[in-house]
C-alpha cells in the first residue's frame, strides 16, 4: 500500500459518522446524493441519500480514488490495455457496446453484424420453423441471457428460449419437456468450448434430438464461443458459429454472441437498444469525474460499509417480478470479480474486499428476511430496484402497492421506531439506496447492468485488486475431474462420500 493510499484510508477511518437522520438536516442532501440519468428507453433515478455518505467522506474517498490512480486505470480499460494483469489480457466488454479502442469497436461491429444476419435468417425461416431454443451454458454464459429474457420477453418472445446451466439432468429434462424437437434449436455457449457441464449437456441435447426424429442434430446447433475452430471441430457448421473476443470475460459477455438468445427472443432492434442503454452508461462512467460519477459514488458507499463499518453482506431487492434473477446475476458479477485475498500485484489485501451479495424479490422478501434487516444484529446495506411503469395490465392498485412497499422499507430502515416493549422497537439508522427506472425497457436494463459492471470495477480499483480473473473457481473443478478419472485418493470424509454414492 502506498503512503498516499494509506493516508486516505487513515483519514476515512478517523472521520465522524453521523446518523442518517442527522445527515438529512442538510437541506441539499437529496440533491447532492441523488441523480436522474436520461438513457435510451427511459431514465433511471439513483438515490444514495439514505446511505451514510456525507461531504467529508465523499471528499476523502475522492482522495483515495486519486491515490490509486482511478482515472488512469479507467482510461486503461477503455483504451484496451491489458489490465487483467494475471492473465495478460485486455478487458473489452464495453467495446461490444461501441465504447472502447477503435479497432475493438470495429471488430465488435463486424461480429454483431454476423450475429444479426443469423438471427434475421432464423426469424425468416432459413432453418425451417423454429419455435424453441435451448440455450446451454453456465456462469456468465447463462446468467446474463436468463436475466434479460426473463425481464424483457414476458409479453411474448419471437422464439421461446429455455436457458439450461446445471449439469443436473433434471434441468435439461425440464427444458426438453417444454420443447418440440422438430422446431427446436440448440445454442451451445462456452468461451473455450470445453466447459465440462456445458459440453455434457450439449451431447445429451443432441442425443435427444436424434432420438426424436431429427435427422441431422448438428444442423440444429448454434455455437457461441471465443474459440470458433473448436466448435467447428466439434461438429458445428462454420455458418452457425458466432465468435466473441477472448478479451471478454464470461460474466461480462452477454453483450457479445452470448446475447444471441436475447436477440432471437426479442428481435434485433430490441437487442440493439439493450446495447445502446449500456453504451450510455459507459459514456457517463468514462466522462464523469469524482462523486458525480454514479458507479464510483456507489463504490464509495460500498466501501464505507465493508471497510469502515465491517459489513460482510450487501442485499439487493428487486421490487419487480421481471428482475427476479437480478440478485443472482449480481452475485456472480460482484463476488467472482472482487472476492479476492490478494491485490493485483500479488501482495495480501489489507482489509475486506467484496461483501457477500444476496437478495430477493419484493414483496416476498419482506415476509422472509426483512425481520433481520430491521431488528437483527447485522448491519446490512440494502439496494432497492423498481420501475415506475408496471409490467402488468392489471388494476393499477397492484403496482401502487408494490412501489409503496418498496419506498416504505427504505424509510423504515432509516427512521426506525421507538417502543416501550423492546421486542417492538426498531433501531433505525440502517442504510439503503434506491434505483428507480421510469420503465423496464431494453435500454434501461442495459444501463442497469452496465452500471453494476462499472460499480464492480470501481470497487476493484479502490481495493487494488484485479476484478477480471477468477482462479478461485478452478480448484474444485480440477478435483471433480480427478474424481471422474478415478486415480486419486482424497481425505477420509470425501472417500466415504464417494463410496456411499457409488462413485468410487
Amino acid at each position: 500500500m502506498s503512503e498516499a493510499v494509506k493516508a486516505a484510508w487513515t483519514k476515512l477511518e478517523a472521520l465522524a459518522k453521523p446518523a442518517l437522520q442527522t445527515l438529512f438536516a442538510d437541506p441539499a442532501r437529496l440533491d447532492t446524493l441523488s441523480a436522474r440519468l436520461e438513457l435510451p428507453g427511459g431514465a433511471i433515478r439513483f438515490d444514495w441519500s439514505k446511505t451514510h455518505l456525507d461531504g467529508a467522506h465523499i471528499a476523502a474517498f475522492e482522495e483515495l480514488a486519486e491515490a490509486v490512480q482511478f482515472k488512469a486505470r479507467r482510461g486503461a480499460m477503455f483504451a484496451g490495455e491489458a489490465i487483467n494483469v494475471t492473465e495478460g489480457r485486455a478487458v473489452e466488454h464495453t467495446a461490444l457496446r461501441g465504447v472502447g479502442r477503435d479497432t475493438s469497436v470495429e471488430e465488435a461491429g463486424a461480429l454483431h453484424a454476423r450475429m444479426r444476419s443469423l438471427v434475421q435468417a432464423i426469424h425468416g425461416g432459413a432453418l425451417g420453423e423454429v419455435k424453441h431454443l435451448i440455450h446451454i451454458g453456465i456462469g456468465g454464459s447463462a446468467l446474463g441471457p436468463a436475466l434479460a429474457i426473463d425481464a424483457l420477453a414476458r409479453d411474448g418472445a419471437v422464439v421461446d428460449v429455455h436457458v439450461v446451466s446445471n449439469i443436473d439432468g433434471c434441468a435439461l429434462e425440464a427444458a426438453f419437456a417444454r420443447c418440440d424437437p422438430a422446431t427446436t434449436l440448440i445454442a451451445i455457449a462456452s468461451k473455450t468450448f470445453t466447459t465440462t457441464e456445458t459440453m455434457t449437456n450439449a451431447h445429451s441435447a443432441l442425443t435427444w434430438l436424434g432420438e426424436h426424429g431429427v435427422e441431422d442434430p448438428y444442423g440444429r446447433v448454434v455455437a457461441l464461443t471465443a474459440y470458433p475452430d473448436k466448435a467447428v471441430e466439434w461438429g458445428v457448421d462454420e455458418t452457425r458459429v458466432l465468435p466473441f473476443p477472448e478479451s471478454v470475460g464470461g460474466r461480462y459477455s452477454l453483450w457479445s454472441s452470448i446475447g444471441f438468445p436475447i436477440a432471437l427472443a426479442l428481435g434485433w432492434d430490441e437487442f440493439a437498444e439493450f446495447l445502446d442503454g449500456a453504451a450510455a452508461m459507459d459514456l457517463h462512467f468514462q466522462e464523469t469525474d469524482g462523486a458525480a460519477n454514479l458507479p464510483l459514488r456507489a463504490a464509495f458507499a460500498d466501501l464505507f460499509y465493508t471497510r469502515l463499518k465491517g459489513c460482510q453482506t450487501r442485499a439487493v431487492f428487486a421490487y419487480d417480478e421481471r428482475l427476479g434473477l437480478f440478485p443472482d446475476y449480481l452475485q456472480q458479477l460482484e463476488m467472482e470479480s472482487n472476492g479476492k485475498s490478494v491485490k493485483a500485484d500479488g501482495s495480501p489485501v489489507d482489509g475486506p474486499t467484496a461483501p457477500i451479495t444476496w437478495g430477493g424479490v419484493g414483496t416476498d422478501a419482506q415476509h422472509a428476511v426483512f425481520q433481520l434487516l430491521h431488528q437483527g444484529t447485522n448491519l446490512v446495506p440494502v439496494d432497492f430496484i423498481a420501475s415506475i411503469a408496471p409490467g402488468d395490465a392489471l388494476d393499477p392498485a397492484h403496482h401502487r402497492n408494490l412501489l409503496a412497499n418498496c419506498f416504505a422499507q427504505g424509510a423504515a430502515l432509516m427512521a426506525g421506531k421507538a417502543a416501550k416493549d423492546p421486542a417492538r422497537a426498531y433501531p433505525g439508522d440502517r442504510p439503503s439506496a434506491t434505483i428507480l427506472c421510469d420503465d423496464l425497457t431494453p435500454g434501461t436494463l442495459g444501463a442497469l447492468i452496465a452500471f453494476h459492471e462499472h460499480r464492480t470495477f470501481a470497487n476493484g480499483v479502490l481495493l487494488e485488486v484485479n476484478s477480471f480473473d477468477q482462479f478461485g473457481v478452478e480448484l474444485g473443478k480440477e478435483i471433480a475431474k480427478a474424481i471422474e478419472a478415478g486415480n486419486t485418493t482424497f481425505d477420509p470424509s470425501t472417500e466415504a462420500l464417494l463410496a456411499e454414492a457409488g462413485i468410487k
Side-chain angles (χ1 to χ4, degrees):
M1 179 186 291
S2 72
E3 289 303 316
V5 173
K6 185 182 297 184
W9 279 116
T10 299
K11 182 174 182 177
L12 282 161
E13 290 163 357
L15 289 172
K17 294 169 177 56
L20 289 171
Q21 296 279 30
T22 301
L23 292 172
F24 267 95
D26 176 5
R29 180 168 181 79
L30 183 61
D31 290 338
T32 301
L33 284 167
S34 66
R36 179 178 167 87
L37 198 60
E38 297 293 333
L39 300 157
I44 304 178
R45 178 183 179 87
F46 297 86
D47 185 351
W48 255 253
S49 64
K50 292 191 185 76
T51 70
H52 289 83
L53 287 179
D54 59 10
H57 282 90
I58 288 173
F61 273 119
E62 289 176 331
E63 290 177 18
L64 174 64
E66 184 174 350
V68 298
Q69 299 181 317
F70 174 79
K71 288 183 185 179
R73 292 177 184 274
R74 178 185 60 184
M77 180 180 72
F78 283 107
E81 297 178 21
I83 65 169
N84 180 352
V85 292
T86 55
E87 297 179 292
R89 291 177 182 165
V91 175
E92 298 195 284
H93 51 282
T94 66
L96 299 170
R97 283 113 61 158
V99 183
R101 179 168 52 179
D102 290 344
T103 55
S104 300
V105 170
E106 184 178 352
E107 178 189 7
L111 293 174
H112 278 144
R114 178 186 176 112
M115 183 166 83
R116 181 177 67 243
S117 294
L118 181 57
V119 167
Q120 292 175 341
I122 293 170
H123 287 164
L127 296 183
E129 186 180 19
V130 175
K131 292 183 177 180
H132 310 282
L133 174 73
I134 298 177
H135 175 86
I136 298 172
I138 198 165
S141 297
L143 281 167
L147 165 63
I149 291 166
D150 190 46
L152 300 173
R154 292 189 172 212
D155 289 338
V158 181
V159 173
D160 182 34
V161 177
H162 303 273
V163 177
V164 176
S165 57
N166 200 336
I167 199 170
D168 186 335
C170 294
L172 198 56
E173 284 189 340
F176 293 162
R178 297 185 181 98
C179 298
D180 173 7
T183 59
T184 297
L185 294 182
I186 307 294
I188 303 172
S190 173
K191 183 171 184 175
T192 62
F193 229 71
T194 60
T195 310
T196 299
E197 299 94 331
T198 298
M199 303 317 295
T200 300
N201 278 334
H203 280 291
S204 295
L206 265 64
T207 299
W208 172 73
L209 289 177
E211 290 176 347
H212 289 80
V214 176
E215 293 184 4
D216 178 19
Y218 284 91
R220 307 294 289 174
V221 174
V222 177
L224 320 171
T225 180
Y227 292 84
D229 291 347
K230 289 187 177 180
V232 173
E233 182 182 340
W234 191 80
V236 185
D237 188 274
E238 183 189 11
T239 60
R240 286 177 278 103
V241 177
L242 298 176
F244 63 89
E246 191 179 16
S247 57
V248 175
R251 58 195 176 279
Y252 299 91
S253 64
L254 78 166
W255 321 101
S256 71
S257 63
I258 296 297
F260 166 76
I262 305 172
L264 197 66
L266 299 178
W268 188 262
D269 289 346
E270 286 75 10
F271 185 71
E273 183 186 316
F274 181 62
L275 296 176
D276 289 344
M281 185 59 69
D282 292 338
L283 291 173
H284 167 81
F285 182 66
Q286 183 183 42
E287 297 171 354
T288 309
D289 291 327
N293 185 306
L294 295 172
L296 182 60
R297 180 190 299 176
F300 290 169
D302 294 340
L303 294 184
F304 180 100
Y305 293 109
T306 55
R307 281 293 180 98
L308 305 182
K309 297 292 286 184
C311 298
Q312 294 185 322
T313 79
R314 185 176 78 84
V316 180
F317 297 101
Y319 275 71
D320 193 308
E321 188 74 16
R322 297 167 293 175
L323 292 175
L325 294 177
F326 202 70
D328 292 352
Y329 184 83
L330 293 185
Q331 280 183 336
Q332 184 194 26
L333 174 63
E334 297 177 357
M335 294 167 68
E336 191 167 88
S337 294
N338 292 336
K340 308 291 171 61
S341 57
V342 296
K343 295 183 180 181
D345 64 5
S347 63
V349 299
D350 35 40
T353 54
I356 297 166
T357 305
W358 63 284
V361 177
T363 57
D364 289 356
Q366 293 176 199
H367 296 269
V369 300
F370 275 48
Q371 168 64 41
L372 182 146
L373 297 178
H374 284 288
Q375 292 187 311
T377 56
N378 302 85
L379 181 65
V380 180
V382 175
D383 282 5
F384 296 105
I385 304 175
S387 168
I388 296 173
D392 64 84
L394 300 180
D395 186 331
H398 282 271
H399 200 63
R400 283 200 307 270
N401 191 273
L402 179 71
L403 291 180
N405 272 274
C406 177
F407 305 149
Q409 292 299 323
L413 285 166
M414 180 178 78
K417 183 180 179 181
K420 293 181 179 179
D421 179 356
R424 290 175 169 80
Y426 295 73
D429 197 35
R430 304 202 168 193
S432 68
T434 301
I435 300 174
L436 183 61
C437 304
D438 281 359
D439 195 3
L440 186 60
T441 66
T444 55
L445 180 63
L448 189 61
I449 294 173
F451 167 83
H452 284 89
E453 288 177 346
H454 294 314
R455 174 184 189 168
T456 301
F457 168 73
N459 268 294
V461 172
L462 296 173
L463 292 165
E464 300 181 280
V465 302
N466 176 12
S467 299
F468 300 104
D469 62 19
Q470 61 281 333
F471 298 119
V473 307
E474 296 300 325
L475 180 58
K477 296 198 296 187
E478 292 171 7
I479 293 175
K481 290 179 180 178
I483 290 172
E484 286 292 316
N487 56 7
T488 306
T489 300
F490 301 96
D491 62 88
S493 170
T494 302
E495 288 290 326
L497 292 168
L498 291 169
E500 184 78 14
I503 295 176
K504 188 174 183 180

